[in-house]
Amino acid sequence: MSVLTMGVSTVTTQVYAGQRPGTSGLRKKVTVFQQPHYLENFVQAIFDVVPELKGGTLVLGGDGRYHNRAAVQTILKMAAANGVARVLVGQGALLSTPAVSCIIRKYAAVGGIVLSASHNPGGPDGDFGIKYNVTNGGPAPEKITEAIYQATTTISEYKTYSAADIDIESLGEYTLGDMQVIVIDPVSDYAELMEGLFDFSAIRAWFASGKRMRFDAMSAASGPYATRIIEGILGAPKGTVVNGIPLEDFGGLHPDPNPVYADDLVAHLMATNAPDFGAASDGDADRNMVLGRNFLVTPSDSLAVMAANAKLIKGYAAGIAGVARSMPTSCAVDAVAKKLNLPCFETPTGWKFFGNLLDAGKVTLCGEESYGTGSNHVREKDGVWAVLFWLNLLAITGKSVEEIVTAHWQEYGRHFYSRHDYEAVDTAAANGLMAHLRSQLPSLQGKNLQEQGLGAFTVALADDFAYDDPIDGSRSEQQGIRIIMTDGSRVVFRLSGTGTEGATLRVYLEKFAADVAQHGVETQKALHDLIVIADQLAQIKTRTGRDAATVVT
Ligand code: VG1
Ligand code: CO
């Protein structure tokens, strides 16, 4: 049933179960989002929970995946019916996640809607997602995502506006009822922000001197940003950016910038006559992987190197206030913070937990082990920003990636690090595994694992990580089981909050080596004892029925 008044209609709907946002918004199969009213219910819940949107500005765009354009048209009409004054929408429905954050802040928007399932595959059989960002430009904090979810559990109607689709393929201004729609260039505001942070002339000179880079945009959202900035403004030769045109199915590939899914890039950087620098970004351009010739950089090390060298970069030359990392991220940045006498915060997984610290001026740089780094320039992690940071560092030091990272290890020690993912595991088995681990926590405390033949470790702390936000006092519990050894080595277990099939178990492994003589050891070898301990304690093989991890990064 639908009642029409002045173009605005109220449509009767019924509740869909399971619309609770996870680590980063609501993510489901495209086919789930295509069900009648499914997207509309969630969008109406946003308008109901954030009444300030009425009369305010909303930023709207996505990572270019299948269903983005259709969803943008639906949301524009609902925004008009819900009294939004102005929508800034990216041309072609495209806006990277960090660009949304930048544009919300620059134009004082009330918030933004990002249509993305980030690093998850796209296409008609792939994934889709929606995320609400608040006035500071960052992901909505848990109290808002929870309120949105609660609203979806009682929803009975939503508002929409009857009109023809807006032409979002070309720049321009339109009206939809009383609402103004401005189709904006997705790149220019973001590019301007980057120019203020980095020494573009030094990077230009680096490219002009014959240095080479390969940026793999993985047929996703970073393509237009990297092409315009790196090839356009910074003068890198054409062809530096590959897979630079966003495709609705990402060319059938998995737009997750890690050595497994960006294996083509890794192969190019390991080849003879490899470029000096390589980088890749994910579906919505908030993640980054950076690598040098014959040299991979872990995201945890990347964050630590950035913190240690921030004073060399224009935008951070005045000094950084502090650093933050998600709990499973390695302690490499902690070592830098200690030496530089900087505050260092440990938060749960997900960028939304950095927002308060950034807003309060407590931290300047943040990072996650999942190929995400960022700073206070926006309130999202930022893939292209991280790549420009590294380019700037290479350009002004004249050093190679390998030289920078190995010198860093010499100074701070090396934190060997790896994440083992077991994807699409049976949900009950995964929950059982976590419950089994939880039940062992009290008895693990102080335990000498060597006595059980489990390697030379004694447990210093075994707990289920809980976070008390130092700014707003909110508490987040059950954020991952961590087993920390007396030498600082760690094994962490979490279930993913972004997957769309069964459960994904993430096992995070970390071991510190101060001794330079050990720095050349292969990572999985260095972590071998911890891998055995993780399997024994969690009974991974028997409970998941898997012999090996699906993805090792
Ligand atoms: C994963 C990562 C987490 C990241 C999140 C969103 O979450 O582990 O570090 O913040 O994805 O990244 P989970 O719950 O699956 O472990 V993205 O690039 O999807 O916005
Ligand atoms: Co992403």
Side-chain angles (χ1 to χ4, degrees), residues 22-24 27 97 116-120 131 282 284 286-287 326 349-351 368-371 380-381 419 494-499 504 506 508:
T23 313
S24 181
R27 284 192 197 166
T97 289
S116 171
S118 188
H119 54 286
N120 298 13
K131 183 171 77 143
D282 71 329
D284 59 333
D286 58 356
R287 295 187 181 201
S326 67
T349 293
W351 211 261
E368 295 193 275
E369 52 64 42
S370 52
Y371 296 84
E380 287 279 5
K381 56 189 182 279
R419 184 174 107 182
R494 266 185 78 245
L495 296 185
S496 156
T498 59
T504 292
R506 304 204 195 284
Y508 309 82

Side-chain angles (χ1 to χ4, degrees), residues 124-261:
D125 303 322
D127 290 349
F128 192 74
I130 177 167
K131 183 171 77 143
Y132 182 67
N133 279 28
V134 294
T135 310
N136 74 353
E142 278 190 327
K143 61 174 189 301
I144 294 181
T145 55
E146 191 56 26
I148 292 170
Y149 167 64
Q150 291 303 334
T152 66
T153 63
T154 55
I155 194 161
S156 58
E157 55 184 41
Y158 64 84
K159 287 198 191 97
T160 187
Y161 188 86
S162 318
D165 283 357
I166 296 271
D167 172 17
I168 53 169
E169 302 308 317
S170 29
L171 303 179
E173 293 191 26
Y174 307 86
T175 51
L176 208 49
D178 295 332
M179 186 179 83
Q180 185 186 22
V181 180
I182 309 181
V183 180
I184 59 169
D185 170 16
V187 180
S188 54
D189 293 307
Y190 179 83
E192 189 186 293
L193 181 63
M194 293 302 112
E195 192 146 17
L197 294 174
F198 300 113
D199 184 347
F200 273 20
S201 48
I203 304 175
R204 240 180 251 124
W206 188 79
F207 279 121
S209 76
K211 297 285 190 190
R212 289 176 299 127
M213 135 170 231
R214 183 180 177 90
F215 184 108
D216 193 334
M218 306 191 85
S219 304
S222 69
Y225 297 85
T227 306
R228 179 101 60 93
I229 297 171
I230 296 173
E231 292 186 5
I233 305 173
L234 296 171
K238 283 218 167 354
T240 297
V241 177
V242 298
N243 300 316
I245 297 176
L247 302 175
E248 290 199 328
D249 66 349
F250 308 118
L253 299 174
H254 198 140
D256 196 352
N258 63 43
V260 176
Y261 293 121

Side-chain angles (χ1 to χ4, degrees), residues 424-479:
V425 169
D426 176 71
T427 304
N431 289 334
L433 180 150
M434 292 301 281
H436 169 68
L437 275 171
R438 242 171 232 127
S439 72
Q440 295 175 77
L441 290 174
S443 63
L444 272 172
Q445 205 77 24
K447 194 171 211 162
N448 182 336
L449 297 176
Q450 184 140 41
E451 286 166 4
Q452 300 176 312
L454 279 175
F457 293 100
T458 298
V459 177
L461 175 79
D463 74 352
D464 197 344
F465 181 61
Y467 178 64
D468 292 298
D469 186 302
I471 312 300
D472 68 12
S474 60
R475 185 174 172 83
S476 305
E477 291 177 333
Q478 302 213 330
Q479 297 296 321

Side-chain angles (χ1 to χ4, degrees), residues 20 289 335 337 353 453 481:
R20 176 178 266 135
M289 173 172 74
F353 294 104
I481 288 173

Side-chain angles (χ1 to χ4, degrees), residues 382-396:
D382 190 342
V384 174
W385 167 88
V387 171
L388 293 171
F389 194 117
W390 271 93
L391 269 174
N392 197 157
L393 206 52
L394 297 174
I396 53 171

